[in-house]
Structures are given as C-alpha cells and as structure tokens.
Amino acid sequence: MAGKRNLASGVRRATFTAVALATCLIAATGAGAAFASETSVRSAPAETKPKLASVVDQAVAAGVPGSIVRVDTGKGKPLTISRQALWSVNDHKLAADDRFRMASNTKTVTATLVLQMVAERRLGLDESVEKWLPGVIPNGENLTLRMLLNHTSGLFDYAWDPQSLAVMTGQSDVYPAPLELIAVATSHPVHFAPGEGYSYSNTGYIALGLILEKVSGRSLPSLIQQRIVKPLGLKDTYMPANTSTEKQDSQLAHGYEPDAAHLAPLIEHLGVEVPEGFGFVGPARGKRVDVTAINPNWNWAAGSMVSTAKDWATFDRALLSGRLLPQAQLNQMRTTVDDGSGTSRYGLGLEEVHSSCGTVWGHEGSLPGYRSYNYTDKVGKRTVSVLNTTHFGLQADPKAGAAEAALVDAAICTMLGKPIPARSSG
C-alpha cells in the first residue's frame, strides 16, 4: 500500500534512503540550469550558506518547479531560500514568505486540538468513536480516538476511492462533505481489525474533525483560529471554509503537476485503474499543468490548512516546547507506533523522523501541486521547513524525487548544526 498511499493520501513518508540516488544528479545540475532565486542567509553558519543553496539549485534543476526552504538553528535570524524554474515566473514569483497549502501537516493541528480537549477532560483518548459519532462508522464501538490519531484504526483511506481521485484532479466538480467522505471510506473493507496494524488513513482525521466540532460547539476553522492562530499570533495561517468555492489567495504559491501523458506512467506503475486521458485540470505549462485553482478544501481536518514556513515554525516551536499542551498530553503525542517506513514512526498526529543527521519531529504533507516538510527538534528550539511546488511530479520523475530527498536531508542537517552530507551538497 505504500505506493498507493504516495499517490492519493496527501502524505508521503520521508525516505531518506533515497538520498543516495541524488549522486546521479550532479552531472545534470551544472551550468545552464534556468531558475529564478531569492536568498536570505543572514545568520546561519557561513559554510552552510552556499552548500544548502546549491542543494536547492540542484532540486530545481532536476525538475522541482519551485522550492522554499527556511532553517532556524535557534541562534539569530533564520536562513531562507526560494528558487523556482524560470518557466513558472509569469504565473507567480515565488517568495520565502508565500502562503502554501500545508496538506497533511493539518493533522498535527487537528491532533493538538484533540489533546487540548483531553487535557480539559472533555475527550478521552480511549473513548469509542461510537460515543461521539453514533452510527457513523461501522464497528465504531471498538474504535478509539487514539486509533484514529495514530492510524491504527484499519479504516480505508477515502482518498483512494475513484470518486476522490476525480475530485482531487479537478475532473469532478462534486464536492464531498465530511460525512460523505466517511461513507465513501466505509463502503470499502477495513485493512485490519481495530488496533491490529498501521495504515495511514485520512478518514480518521475527518472523523476527528467532526468530533471536535461536536464537543466544542464551534466550526473547525473557528476552533483553530481561537486556540492556535490567535494565541500564537500567526498572521498567514488559516483553514479555508469547507465549501466548493474558494477565492484564490493572491499570496498562495502556485503548484504544478505532470500533464496527462506524463502522469500516465506513474498511474500505470501503481496499478491504479483510471480512464484514458486521466490527468489534472488546469492551464498547460509545457509538460506540466498549473493546478493551483483545484480546490482541495474538502480534505478539511485531514489536510486543508494554508500557512507559511515562518508561521508553521512558530506553531511547531510552540507545540514541542510545551506551550500548547501540558506535558502529559505532549508525551502521549510523542508515543509512536511503527509505520513500516524504516525511517519514521507515527505518534498522535506527529511524526518521529530519522534523518542522516538525527531525529526530528513534525509532519509532512502532499496535495496536487504542494509538498511540505515541517520539522523541529524534540524541545522546539530549532525548526526547518521545505516547501516544494509539486507532489506527483516527484513521484513520476526519479531524478526530481531523489533531488528532493537530498534537499530535505540537507535542510534538516543544517537545522541540527551538522555538516551537509557530501551526497547532498554535490
């Protein structure tokens, strides 16, 4: 299921073993690479400035349409870099402070709200789903909130249903509501009995969003505003209204995906049955499509939040330093299960990721046109964000995927104050 999850679930496990593949990129990233750049490297260690910028350059030259990198070592001002392919500049000039669709990073916010309610004794991690959503999920009496949070529920991921794939690509204008997503998911068999395995599922987080609204009496966007955005002073972070229409944010980075012809080999490789010509809807950009106008807000509590690298660093720092949760709930959040990747483990809406330079905590997310990695150290002192303006393009092109893996690893190493591996810096 790993390949299928990469395609449709809105999240991809960090695969740092793929960094070794980046060595094949060096010859392809020399003089002549066409991209626009913006770099602010004010207080990072001098030796890391050109090295990390070089790795970002390599990623764009290898096929990543655009990349924003922000590294805060906890000392002085952060290092920020943005790069984009020249062909994309007329759509939108990418900047380090652009807003970005954070996709499954949203799960960390949803989980934080659940754990705040647990701390207030309004919810219990081992309470049944049936208690809060009676009759909504089959076998809900044997499913707990904890299982939804750490993906051990066994629930089918709605994103894998053909109806969801059609909405995801813009081929369908049918806009599913949260209860409809759950109905789609529960029309499929479960992967395993509750608590008997691990399978990443957006479905569980849709259920958690409904539970949060029920227990609080507020809409999820307003709950996020009240408990996360306002207390932390986040200026560019919001959950869009869960509607079929959306006024496009002028400060939103543009996202791109392969056109139908170049997407087809990836779909075929993963064994997904789709109609002929299946692809993303949007303005053509050579072999790519600008997918920015595709509305992803139906992913709601599982993956619809918009933010910036700076704002998300503020959130991660507050979370892991204990500002948003009591220690008991933070410890629960960092209690992990094996996710089968070999490079990470999953807690309660929080990933424990093992890079070549050390362990970090956070999440990653993927939507059409958007791939984001946001991490911090265990105490919330250092932060790093890598935001790339494609997801499926990295799956379809091994060179671009390897270059991205090298970039994420290099950025984490920079955050941790360790040398960038030679294979990443070229």
Side-chain angles (χ1 to χ4, degrees), residues 126-145:
D126 296 312
E127 290 179 338
S128 74
V129 174
E130 183 69 14
K131 174 181 176 179
W132 291 101
L133 302 176
V136 172
I137 299 178
N139 199 28
E141 65 275 9
N142 292 315
L143 289 171
T144 66
L145 274 61

Side-chain angles (χ1 to χ4, degrees), residues 67-123:
S67 184
I68 295 170
V69 178
R70 184 182 190 276
V71 179
D72 188 343
T73 63
K75 299 178 180 178
K77 295 182 179 179
L79 177 159
T80 59
I81 303 170
S82 66
R83 296 283 194 272
Q84 71 184 118
L86 281 177
W87 57 261
S88 71
V89 172
N90 287 339
D91 291 330
H92 176 85
K93 187 176 180 181
L94 193 67
D97 59 355
D98 275 350
R99 295 181 186 135
F100 202 87
R101 286 174 173 150
M102 290 296 183
S104 284
N105 286 277
T106 303
K107 291 180 175 67
T108 308
V109 173
T110 300
T112 300
L113 294 175
V114 171
L115 287 164
Q116 286 180 344
M117 299 290 182
V118 170
E120 295 164 13
R121 300 184 183 277
R122 300 170 72 180
L123 288 174

Side-chain angles (χ1 to χ4, degrees), residues 44-295:
E47 65 275 11
T48 69
K49 299 176 185 179
K51 288 185 178 180
L52 185 57
S54 175
V55 181
V56 181
D57 293 344
Q58 290 175 27
V60 174
V64 177
S67 184
I68 295 170
V69 178
R70 184 182 190 276
V71 179
D72 188 343
T73 63
K75 299 178 180 178
K77 295 182 179 179
L79 177 159
T80 59
I81 303 170
S82 66
R83 296 283 194 272
Q84 71 184 118
L86 281 177
W87 57 261
S88 71
V89 172
N90 287 339
D91 291 330
H92 176 85
K93 187 176 180 181
L94 193 67
D97 59 355
D98 275 350
R99 295 181 186 135
F100 202 87
R101 286 174 173 150
M102 290 296 183
S104 284
N105 286 277
T106 303
K107 291 180 175 67
T108 308
V109 173
T110 300
T112 300
L113 294 175
V114 171
L115 287 164
Q116 286 180 344
M117 299 290 182
V118 170
E120 295 164 13
R121 300 184 183 277
R122 300 170 72 180
L123 288 174
L125 287 175
D126 296 312
E127 290 179 338
S128 74
V129 174
E130 183 69 14
K131 174 181 176 179
W132 291 101
L133 302 176
V136 172
I137 299 178
N139 199 28
E141 65 275 9
N142 292 315
L143 289 171
T144 66
L145 274 61
R146 188 190 304 274
M147 293 173 189
L148 300 182
L149 286 163
N150 66 11
H151 302 295
T152 60
S153 69
L155 291 173
F156 181 86
D157 189 341
Y158 66 78
W160 256 113
D161 186 271
Q163 297 175 64
S164 297
L165 287 171
V167 179
M168 181 189 302
T169 56
Q171 296 281 357
S172 172
D173 59 3
V174 174
Y175 193 85
L179 284 172
E180 292 172 323
L181 291 175
I182 292 177
V184 164
T186 55
S187 71
H188 295 266
V190 297
H191 296 300
F192 45 78
E196 295 299 316
Y198 176 93
S199 182
Y200 190 94
S201 177
N202 288 289
T203 307
Y205 275 77
I206 298 297
L208 289 166
L210 291 171
I211 291 169
L212 282 167
E213 289 197 333
K214 190 168 186 178
V215 73
S216 69
R218 302 178 68 105
S219 72
L220 187 58
S222 68
L223 199 60
I224 290 171
Q225 183 74 18
Q226 175 199 29
R227 287 177 170 256
I228 304 294
V229 172
K230 288 186 69 175
L232 298 183
L234 306 182
K235 304 299 184 183
D236 295 287
T237 300
Y238 61 94
M239 173 173 279
N242 188 19
T243 64
S244 59
T245 58
E246 176 189 18
K247 183 178 179 181
Q248 190 163 306
D249 189 334
S250 63
Q251 290 183 264
L252 187 70
H254 277 231
Y256 303 90
E257 294 298 354
D259 61 17
H262 293 85
L263 182 65
L266 170 64
I267 302 294
E268 293 168 2
H269 173 70
L270 295 175
V272 181
E273 294 184 9
V274 295
E276 185 176 351
F278 179 84
F280 292 97
V281 173
R285 297 292 182 264
K287 298 177 181 179
R288 299 175 177 86
V289 176
D290 184 340
V291 299
T292 313
I294 297 176
N295 184 346

